[in-house]
Amino acid sequence: MEIDGQNKSTDADFVILGFSTSESLQIIFFVLFLFMHLITLSGHMAIVVVTLVDLALYTPMYFFLRNLSFIEVCYTLVIVPQMLANFLARSKRVSLSACAAQMYFFIALGGAECFLLAVMAYDRYVAICNPLRYTVIMSRNVCIQLLVVACVSGFTISLGLTTLIFSLPFCGSHTINHFFCDIPPVLFLACSDTHANEVAVFLVCMMILLIPFLLILVSYVFITNSILRIKCTEGRKKAFSTCAAHLVVAVLHYGCAIFIYIRPKASYSLDNDKVVSLFYTNVTPMLYPMIYSLRNKEVKGALKRVWEKKFVSMET
């Protein structure tokens, strides 16, 4: 048994190092990231509610957008609350099982989001490149099946990878140089050969990150080619506006993740990686609702209708 002040833990406990700053800065960070977290949750929940309530948004594109926002809400809830608690907590210990659970849901939801972004690119490809058959190809049953495949794939892959990582012995330092139980900092703590695990992580990241991202890029080559052949200027602007939001989100999401996970272990810098991870777990999820709503007249129109309906009902 190890005693640190008044806190006790077994050797199975991990310690989340977080950000080594003064107590006053910890409080400032807590307030800042709490504010960002509330904006993130509000933005994504607004998209979920609006796409459920407004019948004009009962289309495949908004079906996928609604589920993407719901996944994003769950994704941030897995990471941010613990990070906020650690800003104020004196003891930053987390049990091995809690650390494994956080990693599992982080990878599962992140993987599901990666696959769903690829599905959304396919939806845009069919809508623009094959509009006459769009309603037939992207039927409700097909949309549900694609969503289920994306989610099941993410959760299944995560189960295998998390089990592989936490089957390693951790007999040295148990201090995780990060603000959550991410893959690279946990692997650094293993006291056995992790080469096989690193290969597995690389292959999984190829499957979750690179392949869907390449499919998105290929889809947008065809989409751009089709848009440029549209003779109507207004039609081209609408098509570009609809696709631009999804492409920006995809580049932000995949770009940060590829930087973190698909590179040699020797080039890791955990302190720098914490900053990048802070960006894609806190900043980009906050930006996604703004990107989708500001670039999309239908979403803005639906938000306005729901807002007006709410106040009209309150007045009556």
Side-chain angles (χ1 to χ4, degrees):
M1 192 74 69
E2 179 186 279
I3 301 177
D4 179 13
Q6 298 299 318
N7 301 306
K8 298 181 180 181
S9 72
T10 66
D11 288 340
D13 288 338
F14 286 109
V15 176
I16 305 292
L17 184 62
F19 298 92
S20 300
T21 57
S22 66
E23 188 173 335
S24 58
L25 280 178
Q26 296 274 1
I27 295 173
I28 293 172
F29 284 156
F30 172 81
V31 174
L32 173 63
F33 288 109
L34 175 61
F35 179 69
M36 292 171 61
H37 185 52
L38 293 176
I39 292 176
T40 300
L41 294 180
S42 301
H44 285 289
M45 289 310 299
I47 289 177
V48 171
V49 171
V50 167
T51 53
L52 277 173
V53 172
D54 198 295
L55 295 178
L57 301 184
Y58 272 46
T59 63
M61 182 174 75
Y62 296 108
F63 170 79
F64 293 128
L65 179 58
R66 175 169 65 249
N67 285 281
L68 180 69
S69 286
F70 179 74
I71 289 173
E72 197 67 46
V73 167
C74 298
Y75 175 82
T76 55
L77 287 175
V78 168
I79 304 298
V80 180
Q82 185 192 53
M83 183 190 78
L84 293 174
N86 284 344
F87 280 132
L88 303 180
R90 297 187 65 181
S91 174
K92 300 183 180 182
R93 291 189 176 91
V94 59
S95 67
L96 186 143
S97 58
C99 188
Q102 185 182 53
M103 182 182 290
Y104 170 72
F105 285 108
F106 167 71
I107 298 171
L109 292 165
E113 184 175 347
C114 288
F115 291 129
L116 189 54
L117 285 170
V119 169
M120 292 172 74
Y122 174 70
D123 171 68
R124 292 299 81 208
Y125 164 77
V126 176
I128 293 173
C129 300
N130 202 350
L132 297 179
R133 299 192 61 215
Y134 178 65
T135 55
V136 176
I137 296 174
M138 299 302 294
S139 65
R140 180 168 179 77
N141 286 338
V142 169
C143 291
I144 293 173
Q145 288 169 7
L146 289 171
L147 174 64
V148 170
V149 168
C151 293
V152 169
S153 299
F155 278 78
T156 303
I157 292 171
S158 178
L159 179 61
L161 186 58
T162 306
T163 302
L164 186 65
I165 290 173
F166 280 88
S167 63
L168 292 168
F170 300 100
C171 50
S173 170
H174 280 203
T175 301
I176 298 175
N177 187 14
H178 214 289
F179 59 90
F180 71 100
C181 294
D182 200 5
I183 298 171
V186 172
L187 275 179
F188 265 98
L189 301 182
C191 55
S192 64
D193 184 18
T194 60
H195 178 71
N197 303 77
E198 291 166 25
V199 171
V201 170
F202 179 78
L203 293 176
V204 167
C205 290
M206 289 281 289
M207 191 184 306
I208 291 179
L209 298 174
L210 278 187
I211 294 176
F213 188 50
L214 289 175
L215 290 175
I216 290 173
L217 293 180
V218 170
S219 297
Y220 273 99
V221 169
F222 288 103
I223 288 170
T224 303
N225 186 47
S226 295
I227 291 175
L228 292 175
R229 285 186 290 179
I230 298 175
K231 295 181 180 180
C232 174
T233 304
E234 190 63 29
R236 282 201 303 270
K237 286 183 179 179
K238 184 178 180 181
F240 270 124
S241 179
T242 302
C243 296
H246 175 258
L247 188 58
V248 169
V249 168
V251 170
L252 285 173
H253 181 79
Y254 288 103
C256 292
I258 288 171
F259 173 80
I260 292 291
Y261 299 109
I262 304 184
R263 71 185 202 266
K265 183 179 178 180
S267 65
Y268 284 155
S269 172
L270 294 181
D271 289 329
N272 293 335
D273 288 357
K274 278 194 287 188
V275 177
V276 179
S277 297
L278 198 66
F279 185 78
Y280 76 76
T281 56
N282 289 266
V283 180
T284 55
M286 181 182 67
L287 296 177
Y288 293 167
M290 301 178 194
I291 294 170
Y292 277 115
S293 59
L294 291 176
R295 299 284 302 178
N296 194 306
K297 291 181 180 179
E298 291 176 331
V299 173
K300 287 191 286 187
L303 285 169
K304 184 179 179 181
R305 287 192 295 272
V306 171
W307 184 267
E308 290 174 348
K309 188 182 296 183
K310 178 183 177 182
F311 277 94
V312 168
S313 62
M314 287 175 64
E315 291 174 1
T316 56

